[in-house]
Amino acid sequence: MSSRDGYQWTESSGLVKGVPSIGVIQPPTNIQTEHELYDVIVVGAGYCGLTAARDAALSGLKVLLLEARDRIGGRSWSSNIEGYPFEMGGTWVSWGQPHVWREISRYEMRDQLEISHDYSRGVNHFSLNSASGSRNMSHEDEDALMESALKKFANVDGQYGRIVMPFPHSESHNPEAAKYDKMSVADRIAQIKDDLSSEEHTVLLGFVLLCSCSTPEKTSFYEYLHWWALCNYSYEYCIEYLIKYKFKGGQSSFAINFFKEACSTGRLSYAFNTPVASINDDGNGVQATARDGRIFKASRLISAIPMNILKDVTFSPPLAAGKLDASTTEHVNKCVKVHAEVRDRDLRSWSGITYPNNSLMYAIGDGTTPSGNTHIVAFGGQHNHLQPEKDIDKTMDALKALTPMDVERVVFHNWADDEFAKGAWFFSPPGLVTEHLEDLRAPQGNIYFANSDWAVGWRSFIDGAIEEGTRAALAVKRDLDRSRSAHL
């Protein structure tokens, strides 16, 4: 089955909207009767919503899962083109991410992981292209350069961030860290600019802006420190945890297990292609109204809607001020993730940064397709005026500006223009996390809010989505149990 989401291009087909994915759900609904009263409605079938729906169904609750798209996975899903998965959103996982590893173990998928990078053959080098020139270096030299730059960047306390953020899964342990949320990446670089070589400056910005897919002025230094702390205050573990291990069959091969287990309980109803227009809590229960006018009712509701589009759904009573302010502000990640299948097999061991003079700034060799071609994955941002679906030739030029390549296929998802996300993984502007994290996490009447965007641990990652879905399902179960006990 093909999803409406995503695009692919080949010379013979031209640009085509929609890509095949095993995450597309058929039939799109299993609802048998209207006017059913559910225990809980879950809005959104990304990893957070899937986890919440599964856990709630397993706990004995009658669950309705509503999803605007035709597929599961939200911002983490894979296409399956000619036997090869191209990851359209979230990709990498690690045993250093506790919630995701629990689920990998649960579904016995430990042997379904592979390493993205293969430095055993081919060019086996890193390309650094900056305003001051271009050169290739070994991956060992790349790692040394990155480590030096990132340590200088994070070393706000003489211990590379260990003192200011000792408990990254519980940020409130050191309120002193909050002052760094007033700083942007640009502010921090201004503090250390005299300690950075020109190459350190380039790789630092290339790496940090890969994390945020925004500009230095709009990127929170605090949020980067949080990522750094989660990665053991080390560039080595940034690679280990963030960009090394992925599923052989793609993310959708993982997500489908959550959905299947929820279905196996016999307590999950679902409707895909069902964008929710409004959510009303009258104090006795919750009503979700779809754009097409269908109405669904439940005692409780879990909103797994991403932060940037919370404001696009009408809530009654209205969203609390902190939630609305956060959604109106928006997180800054407007990533465009572009995959290229290239005939240059030697590029399997290549990686590179081109900054600031290219709309794609970071890329790596990320696999070998069944035909033996190299798979390159590249990242850019809409702030660089990259919109591949509107100008594929500009995108091709941006790919070739990273390093010479003979492109056979391009696959991408423009998250910035996705109406159900309005951005890729969460990355905050200065001030948003410390001002609104608790606002976003708080329930509102009979409505619970859960999303990776406001996880306390691996915020913005698949791990954070599972963390949040687990939290919300348990909170609803406890709430309903208390309510029912009170009426006995």
Side-chain angles (χ1 to χ4, degrees):
M1 297 296 298
S2 286
S3 173
R4 295 186 301 273
D5 287 344
Y7 291 83
Q8 64 171 315
W9 171 94
T10 64
E11 190 172 356
S12 59
S13 70
L15 187 63
V16 177
K17 190 178 190 305
V19 295
S21 173
I22 62 173
V24 176
I25 301 301
Q26 286 292 331
T29 184
N30 69 346
I31 296 175
Q32 298 297 317
T33 60
E34 295 184 2
H35 313 301
E36 188 85 23
L37 178 64
Y38 299 91
D39 292 317
V40 59
I41 295 171
V42 179
V43 181
Y47 274 105
C48 178
L50 289 174
T51 303
R54 181 202 64 188
D55 288 4
L58 287 170
S59 74
L61 301 182
K62 184 188 296 185
V63 182
L64 172 63
L65 178 64
L66 300 178
E67 169 55 51
R69 305 180 193 273
D70 53 18
R71 57 170 183 80
I72 57 173
R75 289 172 285 179
S76 296
W77 70 290
S78 52
S79 62
N80 300 85
I81 299 172
E82 297 182 2
Y84 185 83
F86 293 92
E87 296 286 10
M88 308 301 286
T91 302
W92 294 279
V93 294
S94 167
W95 41 87
Q97 297 166 338
H99 299 283
V100 81
W101 191 251
R102 179 194 65 199
E103 302 296 345
I104 289 171
S105 298
R106 178 194 191 107
Y107 296 123
E108 298 185 342
M109 294 185 70
R110 290 180 294 268
D111 62 350
Q112 294 302 304
L113 299 180
E114 63 182 3
I115 295 174
S116 278
H117 323 302
D118 180 2
Y119 295 152
S120 65
R121 59 187 172 86
V123 298
N124 200 18
H125 68 235
F126 170 76
S127 299
L128 179 58
N129 305 309
S130 68
S132 59
S134 302
R135 77 177 180 101
N136 295 329
M137 65 182 75
S138 69
H139 290 298
E140 292 77 13
D141 288 342
E142 170 199 1
D143 291 346
L145 182 63
M146 282 283 198
E147 183 174 12
S148 174
L150 293 174
K151 279 189 169 181
K152 290 176 182 178
F153 186 61
N155 195 21
V156 294
D157 53 13
Q159 294 293 324
Y160 307 110
R162 289 179 174 87
I163 295 174
V164 300
M165 200 170 284
F167 295 97
H169 285 270
S170 184
E171 295 162 291
S172 61
H173 273 279
N174 189 1
E176 283 296 308
K179 66 184 180 184
Y180 295 107
D181 200 26
K182 302 300 182 184
M183 294 178 61
S184 69
V185 164
D187 294 331
R188 176 57 181 163
I189 288 179
Q191 290 181 339
I192 63 170
K193 62 180 177 17
D194 293 338
D195 296 328
L196 295 171
S197 70
S198 62
E199 287 191 339
E200 285 176 331
H201 183 267
T202 299
V203 298
L204 170 60
L205 280 171
F207 187 84
V208 173
L209 298 184
L210 166 65
C211 298
S212 74
C213 284
S214 185
T215 65
E217 295 75 19
K218 293 181 178 179
T219 299
S220 165
F221 176 53
Y222 175 93
E223 190 69 355
Y224 177 79
L225 277 179
H226 184 236
W227 283 38
W228 176 256
L230 288 166
C231 294
N232 288 341
Y233 316 91
S234 157
Y235 172 68
E236 178 183 3
Y237 279 97
C238 283
I239 297 301
E240 190 80 10
Y241 290 170
L242 303 183
I243 200 168
K244 186 171 182 178
Y245 302 101
K246 63 177 184 175
F247 290 105
K248 296 175 184 176
Q251 276 293 337
S252 294
S253 71
F254 183 40
I256 198 69
N257 289 299
F258 293 69
F259 183 71
K260 287 178 177 179
E261 186 175 6
C263 288
S264 73
T265 67
R267 289 185 287 273
L268 179 74
S269 299
Y270 60 84
F272 289 79
N273 304 312
T274 307
V276 169
S278 65
I279 295 171
N280 177 62
D281 177 5
D282 66 5
N284 297 312
V286 186
Q287 175 177 295
T289 303
R291 289 182 185 175
D292 62 10
R294 284 178 293 165
I295 295 173
F296 308 95
K297 296 182 178 181
S299 298
R300 301 292 185 273
L301 183 141
I302 296 172
S303 167
I305 299 168
M307 189 189 83
N308 281 5
I309 62 167
L310 266 179
K311 62 182 179 297
D312 298 335
V313 176
T314 301
F315 285 83
S316 179
L319 277 177
K323 297 183 196 296
L324 183 59
D325 186 54
S327 183
T328 302
T329 300
E330 295 194 353
H331 74 75
V332 299
N333 188 331
K334 302 293 185 180
C335 178
V336 182
K337 186 177 184 183
V338 178
H339 301 275
E341 182 181 355
V342 304
R343 300 180 181 93
D344 315 81
R345 299 187 178 189
D346 283 350
L347 292 181
R348 181 66 181 88
S349 57
W350 169 85
S351 63
I353 287 175
T354 300
Y355 182 85
N357 300 320
N358 194 34
S359 53
L360 291 170
M361 60 187 171
Y362 192 103
I364 59 171
D366 193 35
T368 302
T369 67
S371 62
N373 289 335
T374 293
H375 164 212
I376 300 289
V377 59
F379 299 86
Q382 201 175 67
H383 63 278
N384 288 326
H385 311 293
L386 182 67
Q387 294 179 286
E389 70 275 24
K390 295 180 180 178
D391 193 341
I392 192 66
D393 291 334
K394 181 178 179 180
T395 303
M396 296 285 280
D397 290 342
L399 285 164
K400 294 173 183 179
L402 292 162
T403 195
M405 61 179 71
D406 183 8
V407 180
E408 183 172 302
R409 184 190 311 272
V410 177
V411 184
F412 61 90
H413 191 137
N414 184 351
W415 290 103
D417 286 344
D418 184 308
E419 70 166 317
F420 302 122
K422 292 187 177 177
W425 63 89
F426 174 91
F427 211 98
S428 63
L432 189 145
V433 169
T434 52
E435 291 174 14
H436 292 309
L437 185 67
E438 293 309 313
D439 294 332
L440 289 162
R441 294 172 58 77
Q444 190 171 316
N446 292 312
I447 304 172
Y448 290 77
F449 294 84
N451 196 277
S452 65
D453 291 354
W454 49 87
V456 293
W458 285 92
R459 187 163 46 247
S460 82
F461 291 83
I462 296 161
D463 190 89
I466 296 169
E467 171 199 319
E468 279 288 289
T470 300
R471 176 180 72 92
L474 181 59
V476 165
K477 172 63 174 169
R478 287 174 171 171
D479 187 12
L480 287 172
D481 285 348
R482 283 193 299 267
S483 176
R484 288 163 181 170
S485 297
H487 288 87
L488 289 179

